[in-house]
Amino acid sequence: LAAPPVLTAAAPPALVWVPTGCQGAQGRFAYKLLHDLFANYSSALRPVEDTDRVLNITLQVTLSQIIDMDERNQVLTSYLWVRQAWLDAHLTWDKDAYDGIDSIRIPSSYVWRPDIILYNNADDRFSGSVETNVVLRSDGHIMWDSPAITKSSCKVDVSYFPFDGQRCRLTFGSWTYNGNQIDLHNRLDTGDLTDFVENVEWEVLGMPATRNVITYGCCSEPYPDVTYTLLLRRRASFYIFNLLLPCIMVSFLAPLGFYLPADSGEKVSLGVTVLLALTVFQLLVAESMPPSESVPLIGKYYIATMTMITASTALTIFIMNVHHCGPGARPVPPWARWLILHHMARLCCIYEVGKSCKSPRQAPGRWAGRGDAGMPGESPGEGEVGAEAGGCPQDRCLCHHDGLLRNVGYIAGCFRRHRAAQRWTSEWKKVAKVMDRFFMWVFFLMVFLMSVLVLGKAA
């Protein structure tokens, strides 16, 4: 009673094994095809039926990633997918004779491969593409896709760093076969960027491809090549926030040294500190740039700013020398009194206590009035010591004693000289203050103009 169900259940497995047998047969045909194709095949010779015929090769490059751009050594490291296609006249078969097999994938070392290399390779190991399989079709067409990490030489122009753009060329061509043996063509007019991984520092604007035929000095035959020009533009946000903005802010601190009081003793220290800070930024830029004759834009800005700060520090030392004139100071010259104490003081809005820029003009040289503690003015007839000063006749007071008269005259002369020295010192201090404010606004204007020029030239 149990036998019929067993027979009916065994029927479907017999049907299931039929496709498996077909697959095994197709595998045997693949082995037979591989044996027949390479029985008398040599991968050392160019696969053409007529040795005088040119073998056409198409090239297509896909940019996957920009790994590194070494500006100092001028080397671009990139990850590429290189696709090469050509026709091998010795590797064709009738697919109907091999159970309909239209294509097979075999190791690339089995077939002849063109010696297409990167001409401007900068890798010290000079490693080629990865040994991947090739796709061989029944009509003899071979397609070889291989990934490669390349290091190519790239002429870096850092004149507008960090707002620069670079043009890096990747030139592919045959090393031994000339144009009469291999004709190299680009498959598309541009490199493939569909699978490109965005780089944090560089933005890819395009990758046009051009075919060139060049005759080198060593040989008379032409050599075709395909050149991919990688158009790059630097993302400047990192350098703006880490190099340019700190430099601009530090530069605006330098003119404030003129605003510090001369008695504080920090005017020169501020200028030297700002100069050292800019020197550190300059060294950071110089370490990453190639040692070329073209100075980067940010380097020019640093040099101009450092020159300005050096000049401001030298002027600060000169103004401090003017401010700290001792008792032996000479009177302020009339031209300096007229130009600095009169016109420049009103231009910089420097006025005495109780006065403003809109106060009536005062005659040059009359900065001190009567009763001013700092620069007391001399009254008419001051210093006249004698019998007439007191209005007493010499025969009725003690002033007729010669010794007492000489002492009083000496004291009066010392007092007059002391008051004159105080007046001259106070005027020199006012000259130094006016010069401080004038140069402060001049250097503020210079820093602003330099910053605008740098940003405008970069744009």
Side-chain angles (χ1 to χ4, degrees), residues 314-329:
L315 285 174
T316 300
I317 296 174
F318 172 74
I319 293 173
M320 289 183 65
N321 190 20
V322 172
H323 177 84
H324 292 285
C325 286

Side-chain angles (χ1 to χ4, degrees), residues 286-332:
E287 286 180 356
S288 59
M289 294 296 100
S292 60
E293 294 182 357
S294 60
V295 181
L297 184 62
I298 190 172
K300 295 178 182 177
Y301 180 73
Y302 284 164
I303 293 174
T305 307
M306 292 168 64
T307 304
M308 184 200 67
I309 294 175
T310 303
S312 66
T313 306
L315 285 174
T316 300
I317 296 174
F318 172 74
I319 293 173
M320 289 183 65
N321 190 20
V322 172
H323 177 84
H324 292 285
C325 286
R330 297 182 179 180
V332 178

Side-chain angles (χ1 to χ4, degrees), residues 60-75:
Q60 175 62 31
V61 171
T62 300
L63 178 63
S64 177
Q65 185 180 1
I66 296 177
I67 299 177
D68 182 42
M69 168 66 87
D70 189 355
E71 291 94 345
R72 188 169 186 84
N73 296 318
Q74 302 189 22
V75 174

Side-chain angles (χ1 to χ4, degrees), residues 368-384:
R370 194 185 305 262
D372 191 349
M375 292 183 295
E378 293 185 4
S379 59
E382 183 183 25
E384 296 179 0

Side-chain angles (χ1 to χ4, degrees), residues 141-153:
H141 282 90
I142 298 178
M143 184 176 295
W144 182 26
D145 289 337
S146 61
I149 297 179
T150 61
K151 290 185 178 181
S152 57
S153 59

Side-chain angles (χ1 to χ4, degrees), residues 14-258:
L15 298 176
V16 172
W17 283 101
V18 173
T20 307
C22 294
Q23 290 179 359
Q26 190 176 16
R28 287 194 298 271
F29 277 111
Y31 276 103
K32 183 177 184 302
L33 173 61
L34 184 64
H35 181 271
D36 293 343
L37 286 176
F38 294 96
N40 297 316
Y41 181 81
S42 175
S43 61
L45 299 177
R46 192 166 55 96
V48 291
E49 295 179 354
D50 187 0
T51 56
D52 295 333
R53 294 185 59 182
V54 178
L55 180 62
N56 294 320
I57 298 176
T58 59
L59 179 68
Q60 175 62 31
V61 171
T62 300
L63 178 63
S64 177
Q65 185 180 1
I66 296 177
I67 299 177
D68 182 42
M69 168 66 87
D70 189 355
E71 291 94 345
R72 188 169 186 84
N73 296 318
Q74 302 189 22
V75 174
L76 171 67
T77 305
S78 55
Y79 179 40
L80 304 176
W81 299 345
V82 182
R83 170 175 291 183
Q84 304 175 45
W86 66 93
L87 177 63
D88 195 323
H90 303 307
L91 296 178
T92 60
W93 72 90
D94 184 7
K95 59 183 178 180
D96 296 331
Y98 293 93
D99 198 22
I101 298 177
D102 183 54
S103 63
I104 58 173
R105 287 163 176 81
I106 57 177
S108 59
S109 59
Y110 284 15
V111 300
W112 176 90
R113 293 173 298 178
D115 55 347
I116 305 297
I117 64 171
L118 182 63
Y119 280 176
N120 54 333
N121 197 322
D123 193 357
D124 52 355
R125 294 174 296 179
F126 210 88
S127 59
S129 303
V130 180
E131 295 291 336
T132 57
N133 291 339
V134 297
V135 179
L136 176 59
R137 301 183 65 87
S138 59
D139 55 358
H141 282 90
I142 298 178
M143 184 176 295
W144 182 26
D145 289 337
S146 61
I149 297 179
T150 61
K151 290 185 178 181
S152 57
S153 59
C154 178
K155 185 178 180 181
V156 179
D157 185 11
V158 294
S159 300
Y160 291 94
F161 176 85
F163 306 98
D164 57 331
Q166 306 297 334
R167 299 171 62 92
C168 295
R169 292 177 173 83
L170 301 170
T171 304
F172 294 90
S174 174
W175 189 253
T176 58
Y177 294 103
N178 55 51
N180 299 325
Q181 297 169 331
I182 285 181
D183 194 5
L184 184 62
H185 295 271
N186 49 304
R187 184 179 180 185
L188 299 175
D189 294 335
T190 180
D192 190 4
L193 300 175
T194 54
D195 298 319
F196 177 69
V197 179
E198 293 291 335
N199 189 268
V200 295
E201 184 178 1
W202 296 96
E203 179 184 0
V204 178
L205 303 180
M207 194 177 178
T210 57
R211 179 179 180 273
N212 307 304
V213 179
I214 302 176
T215 301
Y216 296 96
C218 65
C219 314
S220 60
E221 298 85 1
Y223 282 83
D225 63 67
V226 176
T227 300
Y228 291 89
T229 304
L230 190 58
L231 306 179
L232 302 174
R233 183 172 62 188
R234 192 189 301 271
R235 303 180 190 270
S237 301
F238 174 82
Y239 299 98
I240 289 176
F241 287 102
N242 290 278
L243 291 179
L244 191 58
L245 284 182
C247 176
I248 294 176
M249 290 188 290
V250 169
S251 301
F252 275 100
L253 285 178
L256 292 178
F258 292 106

